[in-house]
Amino acid sequence: GMDPQITANNVGAISYLAQKYSVSGLQKICDLYLTESISIDNVVHILESLHGCDQQKLFEKCRVWMTEQTSIKSIVTLFESETFIHTHHEIVKILLSGFGQAMDATTLWKCVSKWSETKSTKYSVIINSNDDMKEGEYD
């Protein structure tokens, strides 16, 4: 048979489909992928993949994994990365809950402030023809 090409970017969608269509073997492969492949380099991509796919079991695996990480340097590098700076606010909340305690407050503040500044440049107000203001993210 064909081996599914599971990546950090698609594990959430594949797991969702496996669950929806009761393909337990594929669900196990997704669980195994996450267990064996999650790293500081791909955790944001995995969380983004899971976001919106209602994959609480895999989210929980990520949270547990985050609490087991001990390299402060790696965690700080993650929070300073372009990947972090451009991720969704829900992912930031998850990362803060998982890693926030490991970082000193000043470093954490700098990283989150930079994320916030990056997001605020994308955030704008659009005035429609009725002069109603609509706020939102616009690329």
Short mmCIF file of all heavy atoms in Angstrom, two decimals, residues 63-123:
data_model
loop_
_atom_site.label_atom_id
_atom_site.label_comp_id
_atom_site.label_asym_id
_atom_site.label_seq_id
_atom_site.Cartn_x
_atom_site.Cartn_y
_atom_site.Cartn_z
N ARG A 63 1.29 19.56 24.33
CA ARG A 63 1.42 20.25 25.61
C ARG A 63 2.33 19.48 26.57
O ARG A 63 3.19 20.05 27.22
CB ARG A 63 0.04 20.45 26.24
CG ARG A 63 -0.73 21.58 25.65
CD ARG A 63 -1.96 21.91 26.51
NE ARG A 63 -2.83 22.82 25.78
CZ ARG A 63 -3.90 22.43 25.09
NH1 ARG A 63 -4.25 21.17 25.06
NH2 ARG A 63 -4.64 23.31 24.44
N VAL A 64 2.13 18.18 26.64
CA VAL A 64 2.96 17.34 27.51
C VAL A 64 4.42 17.42 27.05
O VAL A 64 5.32 17.61 27.86
CB VAL A 64 2.46 15.87 27.51
CG1 VAL A 64 3.46 14.95 28.19
CG2 VAL A 64 1.10 15.78 28.19
N TRP A 65 4.64 17.32 25.76
CA TRP A 65 5.99 17.41 25.21
C TRP A 65 6.65 18.74 25.60
O TRP A 65 7.80 18.78 26.00
CB TRP A 65 5.96 17.24 23.68
CG TRP A 65 7.31 17.40 23.06
CD1 TRP A 65 8.26 16.43 22.92
CD2 TRP A 65 7.86 18.60 22.53
NE1 TRP A 65 9.37 16.97 22.32
CE2 TRP A 65 9.16 18.29 22.08
CE3 TRP A 65 7.39 19.90 22.39
CZ2 TRP A 65 9.99 19.24 21.49
CZ3 TRP A 65 8.22 20.85 21.82
CH2 TRP A 65 9.49 20.52 21.38
N MET A 66 5.87 19.84 25.50
CA MET A 66 6.42 21.16 25.84
C MET A 66 6.86 21.21 27.30
O MET A 66 7.91 21.77 27.60
CB MET A 66 5.40 22.26 25.55
CG MET A 66 5.28 22.58 24.08
SD MET A 66 4.25 24.02 23.76
CE MET A 66 2.63 23.28 23.67
N THR A 67 6.08 20.62 28.19
CA THR A 67 6.44 20.67 29.61
C THR A 67 7.70 19.87 29.91
O THR A 67 8.35 20.09 30.93
CB THR A 67 5.30 20.15 30.52
OG1 THR A 67 5.07 18.77 30.23
CG2 THR A 67 4.03 20.96 30.32
N GLU A 68 8.07 18.95 29.02
CA GLU A 68 9.25 18.12 29.23
C GLU A 68 10.53 18.73 28.66
O GLU A 68 11.61 18.18 28.86
CB GLU A 68 9.01 16.74 28.58
CG GLU A 68 7.89 15.97 29.24
CD GLU A 68 7.47 14.74 28.44
OE1 GLU A 68 7.91 14.58 27.29
OE2 GLU A 68 6.67 13.95 28.99
N GLN A 69 10.41 19.85 27.96
CA GLN A 69 11.59 20.47 27.35
C GLN A 69 12.38 21.24 28.40
O GLN A 69 11.82 21.99 29.18
CB GLN A 69 11.18 21.38 26.19
CG GLN A 69 10.43 20.66 25.10
CD GLN A 69 11.09 19.35 24.71
OE1 GLN A 69 12.22 19.33 24.22
NE2 GLN A 69 10.39 18.24 24.93
N THR A 70 13.69 21.03 28.40
CA THR A 70 14.52 21.65 29.43
C THR A 70 15.54 22.64 28.88
O THR A 70 16.16 23.36 29.65
CB THR A 70 15.28 20.56 30.22
OG1 THR A 70 16.03 19.78 29.30
CG2 THR A 70 14.31 19.68 30.99
N SER A 71 15.72 22.70 27.57
CA SER A 71 16.71 23.60 26.99
C SER A 71 16.12 25.00 26.85
O SER A 71 15.40 25.31 25.90
CB SER A 71 17.18 23.10 25.62
OG SER A 71 17.98 24.10 25.01
N ILE A 72 16.45 25.86 27.82
CA ILE A 72 15.95 27.24 27.80
C ILE A 72 16.42 27.93 26.52
O ILE A 72 15.68 28.67 25.89
CB ILE A 72 16.43 28.02 29.05
CG1 ILE A 72 16.03 27.30 30.34
CG2 ILE A 72 15.89 29.45 29.04
CD1 ILE A 72 14.57 27.05 30.51
N LYS A 73 17.66 27.65 26.13
CA LYS A 73 18.22 28.29 24.93
C LYS A 73 17.37 27.95 23.70
O LYS A 73 17.07 28.83 22.89
CB LYS A 73 19.67 27.83 24.72
CG LYS A 73 20.34 28.50 23.56
CD LYS A 73 21.78 28.05 23.42
CE LYS A 73 22.41 28.74 22.21
NZ LYS A 73 23.75 28.24 21.93
N SER A 74 16.98 26.70 23.56
CA SER A 74 16.15 26.28 22.42
C SER A 74 14.77 26.95 22.46
O SER A 74 14.24 27.36 21.43
CB SER A 74 15.96 24.77 22.41
OG SER A 74 17.17 24.12 22.18
N ILE A 75 14.20 27.04 23.64
CA ILE A 75 12.88 27.66 23.79
C ILE A 75 12.96 29.14 23.43
O ILE A 75 12.10 29.66 22.69
CB ILE A 75 12.33 27.45 25.22
CG1 ILE A 75 12.09 25.95 25.46
CG2 ILE A 75 11.06 28.26 25.45
CD1 ILE A 75 11.80 25.58 26.90
N VAL A 76 14.00 29.82 23.91
CA VAL A 76 14.17 31.24 23.57
C VAL A 76 14.36 31.40 22.06
O VAL A 76 13.77 32.29 21.44
CB VAL A 76 15.35 31.85 24.36
CG1 VAL A 76 15.69 33.25 23.84
CG2 VAL A 76 15.02 31.91 25.85
N THR A 77 15.17 30.53 21.46
CA THR A 77 15.38 30.58 20.01
C THR A 77 14.05 30.43 19.27
O THR A 77 13.80 31.13 18.28
CB THR A 77 16.38 29.48 19.57
OG1 THR A 77 17.61 29.69 20.24
CG2 THR A 77 16.60 29.49 18.07
N LEU A 78 13.20 29.52 19.74
CA LEU A 78 11.88 29.36 19.14
C LEU A 78 11.08 30.66 19.23
O LEU A 78 10.51 31.12 18.24
CB LEU A 78 11.11 28.23 19.83
CG LEU A 78 9.63 28.11 19.46
CD1 LEU A 78 9.47 27.70 18.00
CD2 LEU A 78 8.93 27.13 20.37
N PHE A 79 11.03 31.26 20.40
CA PHE A 79 10.24 32.48 20.60
C PHE A 79 10.81 33.67 19.84
O PHE A 79 10.10 34.63 19.58
CB PHE A 79 10.12 32.79 22.10
CG PHE A 79 8.98 32.08 22.76
CD1 PHE A 79 9.07 30.74 23.08
CD2 PHE A 79 7.81 32.75 23.08
CE1 PHE A 79 8.02 30.07 23.70
CE2 PHE A 79 6.75 32.10 23.69
CZ PHE A 79 6.85 30.76 24.00
N GLU A 80 12.08 33.62 19.48
CA GLU A 80 12.71 34.69 18.70
C GLU A 80 12.62 34.44 17.20
O GLU A 80 12.99 35.29 16.40
CB GLU A 80 14.17 34.85 19.11
CG GLU A 80 14.33 35.41 20.52
CD GLU A 80 15.78 35.44 20.99
OE1 GLU A 80 16.63 34.73 20.41
OE2 GLU A 80 16.06 36.18 21.95
N SER A 81 12.12 33.27 16.80
CA SER A 81 12.12 32.88 15.38
C SER A 81 11.03 33.59 14.58
O SER A 81 10.02 34.05 15.11
CB SER A 81 11.93 31.37 15.26
OG SER A 81 10.59 31.01 15.59
N GLU A 82 11.26 33.65 13.27
CA GLU A 82 10.27 34.19 12.34
C GLU A 82 8.99 33.35 12.39
O GLU A 82 7.89 33.88 12.25
CB GLU A 82 10.83 34.22 10.92
CG GLU A 82 11.88 35.28 10.70
CD GLU A 82 11.32 36.69 10.79
OE1 GLU A 82 10.29 36.98 10.16
OE2 GLU A 82 11.92 37.51 11.52
N THR A 83 9.13 32.06 12.57
CA THR A 83 7.96 31.17 12.64
C THR A 83 7.04 31.60 13.77
O THR A 83 5.83 31.70 13.60
CB THR A 83 8.42 29.71 12.83
OG1 THR A 83 9.31 29.37 11.78
CG2 THR A 83 7.24 28.75 12.82
N PHE A 84 7.63 31.87 14.95
CA PHE A 84 6.83 32.32 16.10
C PHE A 84 6.20 33.68 15.80
O PHE A 84 5.01 33.89 16.03
CB PHE A 84 7.69 32.41 17.36
CG PHE A 84 6.95 33.03 18.52
CD1 PHE A 84 6.06 32.29 19.27
CD2 PHE A 84 7.14 34.37 18.86
CE1 PHE A 84 5.35 32.86 20.32
CE2 PHE A 84 6.45 34.94 19.91
CZ PHE A 84 5.56 34.19 20.64
N ILE A 85 6.99 34.59 15.28
CA ILE A 85 6.53 35.96 15.06
C ILE A 85 5.33 36.00 14.13
O ILE A 85 4.47 36.86 14.26
CB ILE A 85 7.70 36.83 14.52
CG1 ILE A 85 8.69 37.07 15.65
CG2 ILE A 85 7.21 38.14 13.95
CD1 ILE A 85 9.99 37.66 15.22
N HIS A 86 5.23 35.04 13.22
CA HIS A 86 4.16 35.08 12.22
C HIS A 86 3.04 34.08 12.49
O HIS A 86 2.17 33.89 11.65
CB HIS A 86 4.75 34.86 10.83
CG HIS A 86 5.65 35.97 10.41
ND1 HIS A 86 5.19 37.22 10.08
CD2 HIS A 86 6.99 36.03 10.32
CE1 HIS A 86 6.20 38.00 9.80
NE2 HIS A 86 7.32 37.31 9.93
N THR A 87 3.02 33.46 13.67
CA THR A 87 1.99 32.47 13.93
C THR A 87 0.71 33.10 14.47
O THR A 87 0.68 34.27 14.86
CB THR A 87 2.50 31.35 14.87
OG1 THR A 87 1.61 30.23 14.78
CG2 THR A 87 2.59 31.81 16.32
N HIS A 88 -0.33 32.32 14.50
CA HIS A 88 -1.67 32.71 14.94
C HIS A 88 -1.70 32.95 16.46
O HIS A 88 -0.99 32.27 17.20
CB HIS A 88 -2.63 31.57 14.55
CG HIS A 88 -4.06 31.90 14.71
ND1 HIS A 88 -4.73 31.74 15.89
CD2 HIS A 88 -4.97 32.38 13.83
CE1 HIS A 88 -5.99 32.11 15.74
NE2 HIS A 88 -6.16 32.50 14.49
N HIS A 89 -2.53 33.87 16.90
CA HIS A 89 -2.58 34.19 18.34
C HIS A 89 -2.97 32.98 19.20
O HIS A 89 -2.54 32.87 20.34
CB HIS A 89 -3.50 35.38 18.61
CG HIS A 89 -4.94 35.14 18.33
ND1 HIS A 89 -5.80 34.67 19.29
CD2 HIS A 89 -5.68 35.30 17.22
CE1 HIS A 89 -7.01 34.56 18.77
NE2 HIS A 89 -6.96 34.94 17.50
N GLU A 90 -3.79 32.07 18.66
CA GLU A 90 -4.15 30.88 19.44
C GLU A 90 -2.92 29.99 19.66
O GLU A 90 -2.79 29.36 20.71
CB GLU A 90 -5.25 30.08 18.73
CG GLU A 90 -6.60 30.78 18.70
CD GLU A 90 -7.21 30.95 20.09
OE1 GLU A 90 -6.93 30.13 20.99
OE2 GLU A 90 -7.98 31.91 20.27
N ILE A 91 -2.04 29.94 18.68
CA ILE A 91 -0.81 29.14 18.81
C ILE A 91 0.11 29.80 19.83
O ILE A 91 0.74 29.12 20.64
CB ILE A 91 -0.11 28.97 17.44
CG1 ILE A 91 -1.07 28.39 16.40
CG2 ILE A 91 1.16 28.15 17.58
CD1 ILE A 91 -1.73 27.09 16.76
N VAL A 92 0.17 31.13 19.81
CA VAL A 92 0.98 31.85 20.80
C VAL A 92 0.51 31.52 22.21
O VAL A 92 1.32 31.25 23.10
CB VAL A 92 0.96 33.38 20.55
CG1 VAL A 92 1.62 34.14 21.69
CG2 VAL A 92 1.65 33.71 19.23
N LYS A 93 -0.81 31.50 22.41
CA LYS A 93 -1.35 31.17 23.74
C LYS A 93 -0.93 29.77 24.18
O LYS A 93 -0.55 29.57 25.33
CB LYS A 93 -2.87 31.30 23.76
CG LYS A 93 -3.35 32.73 23.69
CD LYS A 93 -4.82 32.95 23.98
CE LYS A 93 -5.80 32.00 23.42
NZ LYS A 93 -7.20 32.44 23.52
N ILE A 94 -0.97 28.82 23.26
CA ILE A 94 -0.57 27.45 23.58
C ILE A 94 0.93 27.40 23.91
O ILE A 94 1.34 26.77 24.89
CB ILE A 94 -0.91 26.49 22.41
CG1 ILE A 94 -2.43 26.39 22.26
CG2 ILE A 94 -0.28 25.13 22.64
CD1 ILE A 94 -2.87 25.80 20.95
N LEU A 95 1.73 28.08 23.10
CA LEU A 95 3.17 28.10 23.35
C LEU A 95 3.49 28.76 24.69
O LEU A 95 4.36 28.29 25.43
CB LEU A 95 3.90 28.82 22.21
CG LEU A 95 3.89 28.09 20.87
CD1 LEU A 95 4.38 29.02 19.76
CD2 LEU A 95 4.73 26.82 20.93
N LEU A 96 2.79 29.83 25.00
CA LEU A 96 3.02 30.51 26.29
C LEU A 96 2.64 29.60 27.45
O LEU A 96 3.34 29.55 28.46
CB LEU A 96 2.23 31.81 26.36
CG LEU A 96 2.76 32.94 25.49
CD1 LEU A 96 1.78 34.12 25.51
CD2 LEU A 96 4.14 33.37 25.93
N SER A 97 1.53 28.88 27.30
CA SER A 97 1.12 27.98 28.40
C SER A 97 2.10 26.82 28.54
O SER A 97 2.32 26.33 29.64
CB SER A 97 -0.31 27.49 28.19
OG SER A 97 -0.38 26.56 27.14
N GLY A 98 2.69 26.39 27.44
CA GLY A 98 3.61 25.26 27.48
C GLY A 98 5.03 25.62 27.85
O GLY A 98 5.71 24.89 28.56
N PHE A 99 5.50 26.76 27.35
CA PHE A 99 6.90 27.13 27.52
C PHE A 99 7.13 28.38 28.37
O PHE A 99 8.25 28.63 28.79
CB PHE A 99 7.54 27.43 26.15
CG PHE A 99 7.76 26.24 25.27
CD1 PHE A 99 7.38 26.27 23.95
CD2 PHE A 99 8.38 25.10 25.75
CE1 PHE A 99 7.60 25.19 23.10
CE2 PHE A 99 8.60 24.01 24.92
CZ PHE A 99 8.22 24.06 23.60
N GLY A 100 6.09 29.17 28.57
CA GLY A 100 6.25 30.47 29.21
C GLY A 100 6.98 30.47 30.54
O GLY A 100 7.79 31.36 30.83
N GLN A 101 6.74 29.44 31.35
CA GLN A 101 7.36 29.38 32.67
C GLN A 101 8.86 29.15 32.59
O GLN A 101 9.59 29.44 33.53
CB GLN A 101 6.75 28.26 33.53
CG GLN A 101 5.25 28.17 33.53
CD GLN A 101 4.71 27.36 32.34
OE1 GLN A 101 5.05 27.61 31.19
NE2 GLN A 101 3.83 26.40 32.61
N ALA A 102 9.33 28.61 31.48
CA ALA A 102 10.75 28.28 31.35
C ALA A 102 11.61 29.51 31.04
O ALA A 102 12.82 29.47 31.22
CB ALA A 102 10.93 27.24 30.24
N MET A 103 10.98 30.59 30.58
CA MET A 103 11.73 31.77 30.17
C MET A 103 11.66 32.86 31.22
O MET A 103 10.68 32.98 31.94
CB MET A 103 11.16 32.31 28.85
CG MET A 103 11.29 31.36 27.70
SD MET A 103 10.40 31.91 26.23
CE MET A 103 11.27 33.42 25.82
N ASP A 104 12.72 33.69 31.27
CA ASP A 104 12.65 34.83 32.19
C ASP A 104 11.68 35.86 31.61
O ASP A 104 11.47 35.94 30.39
CB ASP A 104 14.05 35.42 32.43
CG ASP A 104 14.60 36.13 31.22
OD1 ASP A 104 14.35 37.34 31.08
OD2 ASP A 104 15.28 35.46 30.40
N ALA A 105 11.11 36.66 32.49
CA ALA A 105 10.03 37.57 32.11
C ALA A 105 10.46 38.60 31.06
O ALA A 105 9.70 38.92 30.15
CB ALA A 105 9.49 38.28 33.36
N THR A 106 11.67 39.11 31.16
CA THR A 106 12.14 40.13 30.23
C THR A 106 12.24 39.58 28.81
O THR A 106 11.77 40.19 27.85
CB THR A 106 13.51 40.70 30.68
OG1 THR A 106 13.37 41.18 32.02
CG2 THR A 106 13.96 41.82 29.77
N THR A 107 12.84 38.41 28.68
CA THR A 107 12.98 37.79 27.35
C THR A 107 11.61 37.46 26.78
O THR A 107 11.33 37.72 25.60
CB THR A 107 13.83 36.50 27.45
OG1 THR A 107 15.09 36.84 28.03
CG2 THR A 107 14.04 35.89 26.09
N LEU A 108 10.75 36.91 27.62
CA LEU A 108 9.40 36.57 27.18
C LEU A 108 8.67 37.82 26.70
O LEU A 108 8.04 37.81 25.64
CB LEU A 108 8.64 35.90 28.32
CG LEU A 108 7.27 35.34 28.01
CD1 LEU A 108 7.36 34.28 26.92
CD2 LEU A 108 6.65 34.74 29.26
N TRP A 109 8.78 38.90 27.45
CA TRP A 109 8.12 40.16 27.09
C TRP A 109 8.62 40.67 25.75
O TRP A 109 7.85 41.09 24.90
CB TRP A 109 8.34 41.20 28.19
CG TRP A 109 7.78 42.54 27.82
CD1 TRP A 109 8.46 43.65 27.46
CD2 TRP A 109 6.38 42.89 27.76
NE1 TRP A 109 7.58 44.67 27.18
CE2 TRP A 109 6.31 44.24 27.35
CE3 TRP A 109 5.21 42.19 28.00
CZ2 TRP A 109 5.10 44.90 27.18
CZ3 TRP A 109 4.00 42.86 27.84
CH2 TRP A 109 3.96 44.20 27.44
N LYS A 110 9.94 40.63 25.54
CA LYS A 110 10.51 41.10 24.26
C LYS A 110 9.97 40.29 23.09
O LYS A 110 9.62 40.85 22.06
CB LYS A 110 12.05 41.01 24.30
CG LYS A 110 12.70 42.08 25.14
CD LYS A 110 14.21 41.89 25.15
CE LYS A 110 14.88 42.87 26.09
NZ LYS A 110 16.32 42.61 26.22
N CYS A 111 9.93 38.98 23.25
CA CYS A 111 9.46 38.11 22.17
C CYS A 111 7.99 38.33 21.86
O CYS A 111 7.59 38.45 20.69
CB CYS A 111 9.69 36.64 22.52
SG CYS A 111 11.44 36.19 22.65
N VAL A 112 7.17 38.41 22.89
CA VAL A 112 5.74 38.60 22.69
C VAL A 112 5.46 40.00 22.15
O VAL A 112 4.59 40.18 21.30
CB VAL A 112 4.95 38.30 23.98
CG1 VAL A 112 3.48 38.66 23.83
CG2 VAL A 112 5.10 36.83 24.35
N SER A 113 6.23 40.98 22.59
CA SER A 113 6.07 42.35 22.07
C SER A 113 6.40 42.40 20.58
O SER A 113 5.68 43.04 19.81
CB SER A 113 6.97 43.33 22.83
OG SER A 113 6.55 43.43 24.16
N LYS A 114 7.46 41.72 20.18
CA LYS A 114 7.82 41.68 18.76
C LYS A 114 6.73 40.98 17.96
O LYS A 114 6.35 41.44 16.87
CB LYS A 114 9.16 40.98 18.57
CG LYS A 114 9.68 41.07 17.15
CD LYS A 114 11.10 40.56 17.04
CE LYS A 114 11.59 40.66 15.60
NZ LYS A 114 12.93 40.14 15.43
N TRP A 115 6.19 39.88 18.50
CA TRP A 115 5.07 39.19 17.84
C TRP A 115 3.89 40.15 17.68
O TRP A 115 3.29 40.26 16.61
CB TRP A 115 4.64 37.97 18.65
CG TRP A 115 3.40 37.32 18.11
CD1 TRP A 115 3.33 36.39 17.12
CD2 TRP A 115 2.05 37.57 18.51
NE1 TRP A 115 2.02 36.04 16.88
CE2 TRP A 115 1.22 36.75 17.72
CE3 TRP A 115 1.47 38.41 19.47
CZ2 TRP A 115 -0.16 36.75 17.86
CZ3 TRP A 115 0.09 38.41 19.60
CH2 TRP A 115 -0.71 37.58 18.81
N SER A 116 3.59 40.88 18.75
CA SER A 116 2.46 41.81 18.75
C SER A 116 2.65 42.93 17.72
O SER A 116 1.72 43.29 17.00
CB SER A 116 2.30 42.40 20.15
OG SER A 116 1.29 43.37 20.17
N GLU A 117 3.86 43.47 17.65
CA GLU A 117 4.14 44.54 16.67
C GLU A 117 3.98 44.03 15.25
O GLU A 117 3.44 44.72 14.39
CB GLU A 117 5.57 45.06 16.86
CG GLU A 117 5.75 45.87 18.11
CD GLU A 117 7.22 46.09 18.45
OE1 GLU A 117 8.08 45.88 17.57
OE2 GLU A 117 7.49 46.47 19.59
N THR A 118 4.42 42.81 15.00
CA THR A 118 4.30 42.21 13.67
C THR A 118 2.82 42.04 13.32
O THR A 118 2.41 42.33 12.20
CB THR A 118 5.01 40.85 13.61
OG1 THR A 118 6.37 41.04 13.96
CG2 THR A 118 4.93 40.25 12.24
N LYS A 119 2.04 41.58 14.28
CA LYS A 119 0.62 41.38 14.04
C LYS A 119 -0.10 42.71 13.84
O LYS A 119 -1.00 42.82 13.03
CB LYS A 119 -0.05 40.61 15.20
CG LYS A 119 0.34 39.15 15.22
CD LYS A 119 -0.12 38.47 13.96
CE LYS A 119 0.41 37.08 13.83
NZ LYS A 119 0.12 36.47 12.55
N SER A 120 0.30 43.75 14.58
CA SER A 120 -0.41 45.02 14.48
C SER A 120 -0.20 45.68 13.13
O SER A 120 -1.02 46.46 12.67
CB SER A 120 0.00 45.97 15.61
OG SER A 120 1.35 46.36 15.47
N THR A 121 0.89 45.33 12.43
CA THR A 121 1.09 45.89 11.09
C THR A 121 0.15 45.24 10.09
O THR A 121 -0.15 45.82 9.05
CB THR A 121 2.55 45.72 10.61
OG1 THR A 121 2.86 44.33 10.54
CG2 THR A 121 3.52 46.43 11.52
N LYS A 122 -0.34 44.03 10.39
CA LYS A 122 -1.31 43.36 9.52
C LYS A 122 -2.74 43.73 9.87
O LYS A 122 -3.65 43.49 9.11
CB LYS A 122 -1.18 41.83 9.65
CG LYS A 122 0.04 41.24 9.01
CD LYS A 122 0.06 39.75 9.20
CE LYS A 122 -1.09 39.08 8.50
NZ LYS A 122 -1.12 37.62 8.71
N TYR A 123 -2.93 44.29 11.06
CA TYR A 123 -4.27 44.56 11.56
C TYR A 123 -4.69 45.95 11.11
O TYR A 123 -3.97 46.91 11.31
CB TYR A 123 -4.27 44.46 13.08
CG TYR A 123 -5.63 44.22 13.67
CD1 TYR A 123 -6.20 42.96 13.64
CD2 TYR A 123 -6.34 45.24 14.25
CE1 TYR A 123 -7.45 42.72 14.17
CE2 TYR A 123 -7.59 45.01 14.79
CZ TYR A 123 -8.14 43.75 14.75
OH TYR A 123 -9.38 43.52 15.29
#
